[in-house]
């Protein structure tokens, strides 16, 4: 069957732009599932999906992005999809945030 003219917009395998060393370090606490950006699909914005499997000893150092960002946290219990069955702590600016339910967080650029 010929490929659909829109098939180029569908990503079903991981094509992350990371070195083997970075990927191995990341794999100690998470499993990256999919990655999309303009290098994978021309014109696409960057988004990645990962399963975080255990807490990290320390988080990412404070930083900013030049573009808006959305973080999503989703439970995987089909009977209670909003329950994360755990707690996520992250910082926005100088304030810690804690969530225990499925959430999407908009983070403005800068």
């Amino acid at each position: 069957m010929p490929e659909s003219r829109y098939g180029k917009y569908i990503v079903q395998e991981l094509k992350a732009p990371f070195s083997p060393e970075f990927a191995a370090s990341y794999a100690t606490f998470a499993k990256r599932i999919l990655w999309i950006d303009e290098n994978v699909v021309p014109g696409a914005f960057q988004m990645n999906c990962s399963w975080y499997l255990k807490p990290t000893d320390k988080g990412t150092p404070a930083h900013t992005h030049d573009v808006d960002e959305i973080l999503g946290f989703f439970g995987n219990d089909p009977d209670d999809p909003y329950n994360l069955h755990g707690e996520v702590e992250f910082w926005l600016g100088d304030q810690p945030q804690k969530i225990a339910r499925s959430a999407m967080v908009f983070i403005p650029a800068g």
Side-chain angles (χ1 to χ4, degrees):
M1 176 165 68
E3 182 178 320
S4 159
R5 71 177 158 155
Y6 300 110
K8 64 185 176 185
Y9 299 117
I10 300 170
V11 177
Q12 294 182 299
E13 62 184 61
L14 181 59
K15 298 178 183 179
F18 301 111
S19 69
E21 296 81 17
F22 182 86
S25 172
Y26 191 87
T28 63
F29 61 88
K31 177 166 181 58
R32 195 172 306 275
I33 307 300
L34 292 171
W35 176 279
I36 190 170
D37 66 10
E38 62 187 18
N39 295 311
V40 176
V41 175
F45 55 87
Q46 187 274 320
M47 182 170 182
N48 91 81
C49 299
S50 300
W51 283 334
Y52 284 80
L53 306 170
K54 63 180 186 175
T56 58
D57 293 334
K58 58 183 177 178
T60 304
H63 63 283
T64 62
H65 291 254
D66 295 335
V67 297
D68 295 339
E69 184 175 354
I70 295 174
L71 295 178
F73 303 91
F74 301 97
N76 65 355
D77 180 345
D79 295 323
D80 189 4
Y82 294 98
N83 189 339
L84 292 178
H85 295 282
E87 185 174 78
V88 176
E89 179 181 280
F90 58 96
W91 289 67
L92 292 175
D94 61 353
Q95 297 182 347
Q97 310 293 318
K98 291 184 180 184
I99 59 171
R101 298 190 45 79
S102 292
M104 293 181 79
V105 181
F106 175 73
I107 305 169

PDB file of all heavy atoms in Angstrom, residues 70-90:
ATOM      1  N   ILE A  70       4.736  23.340  27.375  1.00  0.00           N
ATOM      2  CA  ILE A  70       3.648  22.685  28.099  1.00  0.00           C
ATOM      3  C   ILE A  70       4.191  21.380  28.658  1.00  0.00           C
ATOM      4  O   ILE A  70       4.790  20.588  27.930  1.00  0.00           O
ATOM      5  CB  ILE A  70       2.437  22.396  27.190  1.00  0.00           C
ATOM      6  CG1 ILE A  70       1.829  23.711  26.706  1.00  0.00           C
ATOM      7  CG2 ILE A  70       1.398  21.559  27.932  1.00  0.00           C
ATOM      8  CD1 ILE A  70       0.712  23.536  25.697  1.00  0.00           C
ATOM      9  N   LEU A  71       4.015  21.183  29.955  1.00  0.00           N
ATOM     10  CA  LEU A  71       4.359  19.921  30.595  1.00  0.00           C
ATOM     11  C   LEU A  71       3.065  19.185  30.883  1.00  0.00           C
ATOM     12  O   LEU A  71       2.098  19.781  31.365  1.00  0.00           O
ATOM     13  CB  LEU A  71       5.105  20.146  31.917  1.00  0.00           C
ATOM     14  CG  LEU A  71       6.475  20.789  31.848  1.00  0.00           C
ATOM     15  CD1 LEU A  71       7.027  20.976  33.264  1.00  0.00           C
ATOM     16  CD2 LEU A  71       7.420  19.952  31.020  1.00  0.00           C
ATOM     17  N   GLY A  72       3.042  17.902  30.608  1.00  0.00           N
ATOM     18  CA  GLY A  72       1.858  17.103  30.882  1.00  0.00           C
ATOM     19  C   GLY A  72       2.208  15.951  31.808  1.00  0.00           C
ATOM     20  O   GLY A  72       3.258  15.326  31.652  1.00  0.00           O
ATOM     21  N   PHE A  73       1.362  15.695  32.758  1.00  0.00           N
ATOM     22  CA  PHE A  73       1.519  14.587  33.693  1.00  0.00           C
ATOM     23  C   PHE A  73       0.206  13.817  33.682  1.00  0.00           C
ATOM     24  O   PHE A  73      -0.849  14.397  33.946  1.00  0.00           O
ATOM     25  CB  PHE A  73       1.811  15.099  35.107  1.00  0.00           C
ATOM     26  CG  PHE A  73       3.024  15.967  35.193  1.00  0.00           C
ATOM     27  CD1 PHE A  73       2.925  17.340  35.041  1.00  0.00           C
ATOM     28  CD2 PHE A  73       4.272  15.412  35.408  1.00  0.00           C
ATOM     29  CE1 PHE A  73       4.051  18.150  35.121  1.00  0.00           C
ATOM     30  CE2 PHE A  73       5.408  16.207  35.482  1.00  0.00           C
ATOM     31  CZ  PHE A  73       5.286  17.573  35.334  1.00  0.00           C
ATOM     32  N   PHE A  74       0.268  12.518  33.361  1.00  0.00           N
ATOM     33  CA  PHE A  74      -0.954  11.748  33.185  1.00  0.00           C
ATOM     34  C   PHE A  74      -0.894  10.447  33.958  1.00  0.00           C
ATOM     35  O   PHE A  74       0.092   9.713  33.862  1.00  0.00           O
ATOM     36  CB  PHE A  74      -1.198  11.456  31.700  1.00  0.00           C
ATOM     37  CG  PHE A  74      -1.308  12.702  30.881  1.00  0.00           C
ATOM     38  CD1 PHE A  74      -0.223  13.191  30.183  1.00  0.00           C
ATOM     39  CD2 PHE A  74      -2.494  13.413  30.848  1.00  0.00           C
ATOM     40  CE1 PHE A  74      -0.309  14.360  29.448  1.00  0.00           C
ATOM     41  CE2 PHE A  74      -2.600  14.587  30.115  1.00  0.00           C
ATOM     42  CZ  PHE A  74      -1.498  15.061  29.411  1.00  0.00           C
ATOM     43  N   GLY A  75      -1.960  10.166  34.702  1.00  0.00           N
ATOM     44  CA  GLY A  75      -2.078   8.894  35.394  1.00  0.00           C
ATOM     45  C   GLY A  75      -2.337   7.777  34.390  1.00  0.00           C
ATOM     46  O   GLY A  75      -2.768   8.028  33.265  1.00  0.00           O
ATOM     47  N   ASN A  76      -2.078   6.547  34.796  1.00  0.00           N
ATOM     48  CA  ASN A  76      -2.273   5.426  33.872  1.00  0.00           C
ATOM     49  C   ASN A  76      -3.234   4.376  34.419  1.00  0.00           C
ATOM     50  O   ASN A  76      -3.235   3.244  33.964  1.00  0.00           O
ATOM     51  CB  ASN A  76      -0.932   4.785  33.501  1.00  0.00           C
ATOM     52  CG  ASN A  76      -0.245   4.142  34.685  1.00  0.00           C
ATOM     53  OD1 ASN A  76      -0.705   4.243  35.818  1.00  0.00           O
ATOM     54  ND2 ASN A  76       0.857   3.482  34.433  1.00  0.00           N
ATOM     55  N   ASP A  77      -4.078   4.766  35.362  1.00  0.00           N
ATOM     56  CA  ASP A  77      -5.084   3.864  35.924  1.00  0.00           C
ATOM     57  C   ASP A  77      -6.386   4.087  35.157  1.00  0.00           C
ATOM     58  O   ASP A  77      -7.006   5.140  35.287  1.00  0.00           O
ATOM     59  CB  ASP A  77      -5.259   4.172  37.410  1.00  0.00           C
ATOM     60  CG  ASP A  77      -6.281   3.292  38.098  1.00  0.00           C
ATOM     61  OD1 ASP A  77      -7.077   2.622  37.408  1.00  0.00           O
ATOM     62  OD2 ASP A  77      -6.300   3.287  39.343  1.00  0.00           O
ATOM     63  N   PRO A  78      -6.839   3.121  34.346  1.00  0.00           N
ATOM     64  CA  PRO A  78      -8.046   3.346  33.551  1.00  0.00           C
ATOM     65  C   PRO A  78      -9.301   3.581  34.394  1.00  0.00           C
ATOM     66  O   PRO A  78     -10.253   4.191  33.918  1.00  0.00           O
ATOM     67  CB  PRO A  78      -8.176   2.083  32.700  1.00  0.00           C
ATOM     68  CG  PRO A  78      -7.315   1.063  33.341  1.00  0.00           C
ATOM     69  CD  PRO A  78      -6.266   1.794  34.119  1.00  0.00           C
ATOM     70  N   ASP A  79      -9.306   3.124  35.639  1.00  0.00           N
ATOM     71  CA  ASP A  79     -10.450   3.347  36.512  1.00  0.00           C
ATOM     72  C   ASP A  79     -10.402   4.699  37.216  1.00  0.00           C
ATOM     73  O   ASP A  79     -11.400   5.144  37.768  1.00  0.00           O
ATOM     74  CB  ASP A  79     -10.553   2.228  37.549  1.00  0.00           C
ATOM     75  CG  ASP A  79     -10.840   0.877  36.909  1.00  0.00           C
ATOM     76  OD1 ASP A  79     -11.613   0.850  35.913  1.00  0.00           O
ATOM     77  OD2 ASP A  79     -10.276  -0.130  37.364  1.00  0.00           O
ATOM     78  N   ASP A  80      -9.236   5.340  37.220  1.00  0.00           N
ATOM     79  CA  ASP A  80      -9.063   6.644  37.871  1.00  0.00           C
ATOM     80  C   ASP A  80      -7.932   7.384  37.163  1.00  0.00           C
ATOM     81  O   ASP A  80      -6.851   7.568  37.713  1.00  0.00           O
ATOM     82  CB  ASP A  80      -8.745   6.437  39.362  1.00  0.00           C
ATOM     83  CG  ASP A  80      -8.773   7.729  40.155  1.00  0.00           C
ATOM     84  OD1 ASP A  80      -9.111   8.805  39.588  1.00  0.00           O
ATOM     85  OD2 ASP A  80      -8.441   7.680  41.352  1.00  0.00           O
ATOM     86  N   PRO A  81      -8.140   7.813  35.909  1.00  0.00           N
ATOM     87  CA  PRO A  81      -7.051   8.359  35.102  1.00  0.00           C
ATOM     88  C   PRO A  81      -6.462   9.671  35.610  1.00  0.00           C
ATOM     89  O   PRO A  81      -5.390  10.065  35.173  1.00  0.00           O
ATOM     90  CB  PRO A  81      -7.681   8.541  33.722  1.00  0.00           C
ATOM     91  CG  PRO A  81      -9.142   8.662  33.979  1.00  0.00           C
ATOM     92  CD  PRO A  81      -9.410   7.801  35.181  1.00  0.00           C
ATOM     93  N   TYR A  82      -7.137  10.321  36.528  1.00  0.00           N
ATOM     94  CA  TYR A  82      -6.604  11.581  37.047  1.00  0.00           C
ATOM     95  C   TYR A  82      -5.687  11.380  38.246  1.00  0.00           C
ATOM     96  O   TYR A  82      -5.005  12.301  38.679  1.00  0.00           O
ATOM     97  CB  TYR A  82      -7.744  12.538  37.398  1.00  0.00           C
ATOM     98  CG  TYR A  82      -8.497  12.961  36.159  1.00  0.00           C
ATOM     99  CD1 TYR A  82      -9.674  12.334  35.792  1.00  0.00           C
ATOM    100  CD2 TYR A  82      -8.002  13.967  35.337  1.00  0.00           C
ATOM    101  CE1 TYR A  82     -10.350  12.696  34.639  1.00  0.00           C
ATOM    102  CE2 TYR A  82      -8.656  14.338  34.183  1.00  0.00           C
ATOM    103  CZ  TYR A  82      -9.829  13.698  33.834  1.00  0.00           C
ATOM    104  OH  TYR A  82     -10.481  14.060  32.691  1.00  0.00           O
ATOM    105  N   ASN A  83      -5.636  10.191  38.791  1.00  0.00           N
ATOM    106  CA  ASN A  83      -4.800   9.896  39.945  1.00  0.00           C
ATOM    107  C   ASN A  83      -3.409   9.502  39.457  1.00  0.00           C
ATOM    108  O   ASN A  83      -3.254   8.518  38.739  1.00  0.00           O
ATOM    109  CB  ASN A  83      -5.428   8.761  40.758  1.00  0.00           C
ATOM    110  CG  ASN A  83      -4.744   8.548  42.082  1.00  0.00           C
ATOM    111  OD1 ASN A  83      -3.606   8.939  42.289  1.00  0.00           O
ATOM    112  ND2 ASN A  83      -5.456   7.910  42.991  1.00  0.00           N
ATOM    113  N   LEU A  84      -2.390  10.246  39.847  1.00  0.00           N
ATOM    114  CA  LEU A  84      -1.013   9.910  39.462  1.00  0.00           C
ATOM    115  C   LEU A  84      -0.443   8.783  40.321  1.00  0.00           C
ATOM    116  O   LEU A  84       0.604   8.241  40.002  1.00  0.00           O
ATOM    117  CB  LEU A  84      -0.105  11.139  39.583  1.00  0.00           C
ATOM    118  CG  LEU A  84      -0.361  12.278  38.600  1.00  0.00           C
ATOM    119  CD1 LEU A  84       0.596  13.426  38.880  1.00  0.00           C
ATOM    120  CD2 LEU A  84      -0.246  11.812  37.172  1.00  0.00           C
ATOM    121  N   HIS A  85      -1.095   8.472  41.421  1.00  0.00           N
ATOM    122  CA  HIS A  85      -0.594   7.464  42.362  1.00  0.00           C
ATOM    123  C   HIS A  85       0.825   7.817  42.816  1.00  0.00           C
ATOM    124  O   HIS A  85       1.683   6.960  42.983  1.00  0.00           O
ATOM    125  CB  HIS A  85      -0.648   6.057  41.752  1.00  0.00           C
ATOM    126  CG  HIS A  85      -2.050   5.606  41.483  1.00  0.00           C
ATOM    127  ND1 HIS A  85      -2.882   5.141  42.470  1.00  0.00           N
ATOM    128  CD2 HIS A  85      -2.771   5.585  40.344  1.00  0.00           C
ATOM    129  CE1 HIS A  85      -4.060   4.835  41.954  1.00  0.00           C
ATOM    130  NE2 HIS A  85      -4.021   5.094  40.669  1.00  0.00           N
ATOM    131  N   GLY A  86       1.039   9.075  43.004  1.00  0.00           N
ATOM    132  CA  GLY A  86       2.323   9.599  43.445  1.00  0.00           C
ATOM    133  C   GLY A  86       2.242  11.112  43.410  1.00  0.00           C
ATOM    134  O   GLY A  86       1.185  11.691  43.132  1.00  0.00           O
ATOM    135  N   GLU A  87       3.345  11.756  43.705  1.00  0.00           N
ATOM    136  CA  GLU A  87       3.385  13.211  43.730  1.00  0.00           C
ATOM    137  C   GLU A  87       4.552  13.696  42.891  1.00  0.00           C
ATOM    138  O   GLU A  87       5.634  13.111  42.933  1.00  0.00           O
ATOM    139  CB  GLU A  87       3.536  13.707  45.172  1.00  0.00           C
ATOM    140  CG  GLU A  87       3.460  15.204  45.311  1.00  0.00           C
ATOM    141  CD  GLU A  87       3.473  15.632  46.770  1.00  0.00           C
ATOM    142  OE1 GLU A  87       4.576  15.627  47.360  1.00  0.00           O
ATOM    143  OE2 GLU A  87       2.405  15.946  47.308  1.00  0.00           O
ATOM    144  N   VAL A  88       4.321  14.746  42.126  1.00  0.00           N
ATOM    145  CA  VAL A  88       5.358  15.372  41.303  1.00  0.00           C
ATOM    146  C   VAL A  88       5.626  16.753  41.874  1.00  0.00           C
ATOM    147  O   VAL A  88       4.686  17.518  42.119  1.00  0.00           O
ATOM    148  CB  VAL A  88       4.908  15.497  39.833  1.00  0.00           C
ATOM    149  CG1 VAL A  88       5.947  16.246  39.010  1.00  0.00           C
ATOM    150  CG2 VAL A  88       4.617  14.125  39.241  1.00  0.00           C
ATOM    151  N   GLU A  89       6.890  17.060  42.093  1.00  0.00           N
ATOM    152  CA  GLU A  89       7.261  18.410  42.509  1.00  0.00           C
ATOM    153  C   GLU A  89       8.112  19.024  41.420  1.00  0.00           C
ATOM    154  O   GLU A  89       9.038  18.401  40.912  1.00  0.00           O
ATOM    155  CB  GLU A  89       8.065  18.391  43.814  1.00  0.00           C
ATOM    156  CG  GLU A  89       8.482  19.801  44.242  1.00  0.00           C
ATOM    157  CD  GLU A  89       9.313  19.817  45.516  1.00  0.00           C
ATOM    158  OE1 GLU A  89       8.720  19.722  46.601  1.00  0.00           O
ATOM    159  OE2 GLU A  89      10.548  19.911  45.391  1.00  0.00           O
ATOM    160  N   PHE A  90       7.762  20.244  41.028  1.00  0.00           N
ATOM    161  CA  PHE A  90       8.555  20.993  40.065  1.00  0.00           C
ATOM    162  C   PHE A  90       8.488  22.457  40.467  1.00  0.00           C
ATOM    163  O   PHE A  90       7.668  22.857  41.288  1.00  0.00           O
ATOM    164  CB  PHE A  90       8.067  20.759  38.624  1.00  0.00           C
ATOM    165  CG  PHE A  90       6.627  21.120  38.397  1.00  0.00           C
ATOM    166  CD1 PHE A  90       6.267  22.363  37.886  1.00  0.00           C
ATOM    167  CD2 PHE A  90       5.615  20.211  38.699  1.00  0.00           C
ATOM    168  CE1 PHE A  90       4.936  22.685  37.687  1.00  0.00           C
ATOM    169  CE2 PHE A  90       4.284  20.531  38.493  1.00  0.00           C
ATOM    170  CZ  PHE A  90       3.942  21.771  37.989  1.00  0.00           C
TER     171      PHE A  90
END
